[in-house]
Amino acid sequence: MALAGGASIGTAALVAHGLSKRFKKKVALDKVDLTVPAGSVTALVGPNGAGKTTLIRVCMAFERPNAGGVEVDGVDPWKHRSEALRRVGYVPQTPAVYRGLSVEEHLSMARSLHSGFDADYARRRLDQLGIPLDQRADTLSGGQAAQLGLAVALGTRARILLLDEPLANLDPLARREFIQVLLDAVKSDGSTALLSSHIVTDVEDACDRLAILGGGKVRLDCPLEEARQTHRLTEADSPPPGATAVGSFLGKGGKTVMTLWRLAPGDDPGSAPNSGPGETSEAASLEDVVLGYLAAGRGIGLQLN
Amino acid sequence: MLTRIWLTYKQHRFETIAIALVCLGLAAAALIEAYRLNSMNVPLKCLESWQGAYMVGPGQPPLDAATQRCNDMAQAFSNIKTGTDAGLVRMLLAFAPLLVGIVFGAPIVAREIETGTAPLSWALSGSRRRWLFSKVLAGVLLIVPLMLVVGLAADVFEAAQYPDLNVYASYIDYVSRGAILVFWALAAFAGTFALGTLLGRTMPALIVALVVCFFVRGSWEAGMNHFVLRPFAVQTSLEQSANYTPDSWYNDISLYQTVYMDGKPWDGDVNAWWMEHQQVQVSATPDASGFVPGGGEPVYVDPATNKPLAPSQVPTYVNFVIPGAWYWNVVVLESGLLLLGSLFCGVIAFVWVDRRRPY
Ligand SMILES: Nc1ncnc2c1ncn2[C@@H]1O[C@H](COP(=O)(O)OP(=O)(O)OP(=O)(O)O)[C@@H](O)[C@H]1O
Ligand SMILES: [Mg+2]
């Protein structure tokens, strides 16, 4: 598949280097280095206040970095905003629509603001969802408004999609459907997507990379598969050989404390299970990986009692 | 661009409709008042004679029927002119342009920031300036024709109130009528959307703009007279002003007076000079009621020789005025100043919209 423009698979669609953003005393992003390869779908996961939204807003030139910067398809959005934003489709965390304008008028507005906006594409998407085009946007349900936001973002046919919690307002069916649309868009247009979420299970079907943000720092940034394979979970404190502890957290059911371990690089993940006699380590799910890193971000693992 | 202008009106439809109604309503009210005055057909000489004949002095003969009728008509004319509804129209004409500009200007950026729609548009367009430009253009395209209609209606109203004046060669109410209203509205519009862009909030922008605009409007004429028009003033003699003719008294902007003697400015004490040089003339004997008819022109004499002085040796007040004939120059100058202010505010908004956070 030929890709237009500067990026091709293997190059970076989005790069943050040494990116720091402070709000007065509050450090939202602390020297973040992150690379989102072109053609990938990256889940940006982290707890409330981790800095996910801030990172995305810096990419949209809504925030000015205090140090470092980002490049969107090789363009610094703060310096060359129009050029950078032409390549980006964006969905804000809180869906906002123009009161008093109909759904169709939102598409007209998008077309008048963004050269190359594909209104037909957006219209088809909304049709499929049964959202009437002549309905006033402020009378849409929360999820429908979010769908409108998505349709507008996808209608730009932008090469890079920055989606801030796009699933938060959608029903389970709509989530499935959205993920499918996203994957189709990525495949057919060769787009790149970065979508933030609190809940990794929501996005793991759609993503091929995982970036964990905690306390303004990148805790983990790797392909999804690698994240699964290089981490193990144990109940007790005894590590799999050569592994380093990441963090401890309350297990399912709240009875036990689980510890996440990161296997030494080069370890064959296939040989890891049941490494020692009497010692059991489990394969870590993505959720466990995220929990482990988030617990590490807090500095202390959760203790029972 | 057309789409975006149209969508701007839809988005701000309440403001758009309110402004259109206020402007058209006010223009209609001014025209109705003008019609009421015009349809009385009061002869000009009745208006002129009536001005000086408020009362009939005791012992004076009763007015003849024609004069009486003339005075009654002038009185009725004056009742409409000074009535509540005409006064209301005059007041609205002074402040409606400000309200129109403020009401449309306040939400244009601020509401988008408040309701979180700014990121939606700013993400789509890349150039926030182009985005703002289309909204501002929508405002201008709405305000200019409407205010022009109001301004022209106000001119008609003014001409009806002062049938003896040429409203385009006279400064009566000149800041509240005619084309300058367009520039008042534009200045209020630009100032308010700039405030909205800076503050990111509709209500505070609206309130601050109200205070600032009304202050500027309230002090405009005094400020113009003192700082801007003063250097352009030309001299006329006091006599010309004192002898009431519509041309000299109503038409000009009287800026200041100085005393002249021998064709040069004179800084002596005029009252003291009068005491010394004026010879009081008691001409006639009192009439039956004890009333002494006027003493005629004062006579100035040299106290040493008791010889009358030539007019050039008498200190004379000289009025410095902006002549009514310069009406259009003054209107263009003041409109230009308002436009300059609008552009200044606009530049602030266009610079700031590019830098501000979308919330
Ligand atoms: N404009 C702002 N002024 C002050 N602090 C801010 C501002 N925006 C963000 N922050 C702070 O920066 C930190 C990161 O916020 P951010 O919105 O990026 O988190 P997030 O990861 O998106 O969280 P959530 O999952 O709740 O959306 C938070 O502590 C937040 O309070
Ligand atoms: Mg967020």
Side-chain angles (χ1 to χ4, degrees), chain A residues 21 23 57 60-64 81-82 85 90 96-98 100-101 105 109-110 112-114 136 152 156, chain B residues 3-4 7 10-11 13 112 115-117 119-128 131 354-355 357-359:
Chain A
K21 177 67 198 170
F23 295 103
R57 294 172 79 107
M60 296 303 298
F62 291 165
E63 304 284 358
R64 183 181 196 160
R81 183 185 293 155
S82 306
L85 294 195
Y90 166 70
V97 294
Y98 284 100
L101 293 194
E105 281 161 348
M109 171 165 298
S112 71
L113 287 169
H114 190 100
R136 269 179 58 162
V152 169
T156 60
Chain B
T3 319
R4 258 187 286 167
L7 289 174
K10 272 211 99 167
Q11 202 185 322
R13 69 172 132 242
E112 296 234 3
T115 58
T117 45
L120 189 70
S121 289
W122 294 1
L124 280 167
S125 95
S127 165
R128 298 179 191 174
W131 168 83
D354 232 17
R355 333 192 70 240
R357 289 203 183 113
Y359 51 85

Side-chain angles (χ1 to χ4, degrees), chain B residues 3-358:
Chain B
T3 319
R4 258 187 286 167
I5 290 172
W6 171 241
L7 289 174
T8 303
Y9 294 140
K10 272 211 99 167
Q11 202 185 322
H12 302 285
R13 69 172 132 242
F14 171 76
E15 290 83 1
T16 306
I17 293 173
I19 285 170
L21 286 181
V22 164
C23 287
L24 297 178
L26 185 56
L31 291 178
I32 290 172
E33 288 298 316
Y35 174 77
R36 287 176 66 195
L37 290 169
N38 285 334
S39 63
M40 295 179 75
N41 283 320
V42 184
L44 212 56
K45 73 175 193 338
C46 294
L47 290 176
E48 277 168 16
S49 63
W50 179 77
Q51 311 255 349
Y54 281 95
M55 275 184 276
V56 178
Q60 281 186 298
L63 296 171
D64 61 275
T67 314
Q68 187 61 51
R69 221 178 70 79
C70 204
N71 276 358
D72 288 346
M73 281 173 82
Q75 177 73 54
F77 182 90
S78 165
N79 284 349
I80 293 184
K81 186 167 140 184
T82 56
T84 324
D85 35 4
L88 197 66
V89 170
R90 264 195 301 272
M91 196 186 70
L92 285 175
L93 284 173
F95 293 107
L98 303 179
L99 290 177
V100 162
I102 290 171
V103 164
F104 205 79
I108 220 161
V109 177
R111 188 179 300 148
E112 296 234 3
I113 290 167
E114 270 172 344
T115 58
T117 45
L120 189 70
S121 289
W122 294 1
L124 280 167
S125 95
S127 165
R128 298 179 191 174
R129 288 182 186 161
R130 208 142 22 93
W131 168 83
L132 180 58
F133 180 75
S134 64
K135 304 195 82 167
V136 168
L137 188 62
V140 171
L141 289 180
L142 178 73
I143 287 173
V144 170
L146 282 173
M147 285 324 296
L148 209 56
V149 169
V150 175
L152 292 178
D155 277 339
V156 173
F157 178 42
E158 199 70 31
Q161 291 179 75
Y162 300 92
D164 46 353
L165 296 187
N166 172 2
V167 290
Y168 299 121
S170 158
Y171 297 102
I172 289 235
D173 294 330
Y174 77 103
V175 194
S176 308
R177 61 182 170 91
I180 203 172
L181 292 195
V182 173
F183 295 92
W184 273 112
L186 287 181
F189 175 60
T192 313
F193 76 69
L195 270 169
T197 311
L198 292 173
L199 301 175
R201 308 271 311 279
T202 308
M203 255 332 202
L206 193 112
I207 291 166
V208 175
L210 274 178
V211 173
V212 173
C213 285
F214 279 61
F215 174 77
V216 172
R217 178 63 184 82
S219 51
W220 181 262
E221 277 153 274
M224 281 294 126
N225 290 354
H226 196 79
F227 296 109
V228 179
L229 298 177
R230 211 177 160 87
F232 300 113
V234 294
Q235 70 177 69
T236 70
S237 72
L238 182 66
E239 281 128 77
Q240 190 193 345
S241 304
N243 296 333
Y244 169 75
T245 65
D247 282 356
S248 61
W249 190 247
Y250 273 101
N251 287 3
D252 302 344
I253 302 175
S254 201
L255 290 179
Y256 56 94
Q257 293 183 327
T258 44
V259 179
Y260 268 57
M261 184 147 66
D262 267 342
K264 292 191 294 290
W266 183 76
D267 58 0
D269 182 340
V270 183
N271 283 324
W273 190 93
W274 277 347
M275 296 293 270
E276 237 171 88
H277 296 81
Q278 189 168 357
Q279 201 170 66
V280 181
Q281 292 213 315
V282 179
S283 59
T285 43
D287 66 10
S289 66
F291 181 76
V292 182
E297 286 293 306
V299 173
Y300 300 103
V301 295
D302 183 340
T305 64
N306 225 18
K307 288 237 170 70
L309 291 169
S312 68
Q313 292 171 297
V314 175
T316 327
Y317 278 105
V318 173
N319 249 358
F320 280 79
V321 302
I322 301 292
W326 296 2
Y327 174 84
W328 286 111
N329 302 24
V330 172
V331 166
V332 168
L333 173 73
E334 297 194 9
S335 300
L337 287 175
L338 289 168
L339 189 63
L340 220 59
S342 317
L343 291 178
F344 176 73
C345 293
V347 166
I348 290 180
F350 275 87
V351 168
W352 193 250
V353 78
D354 232 17
R355 333 192 70 240
R356 75 158 295 128
R357 289 203 183 113

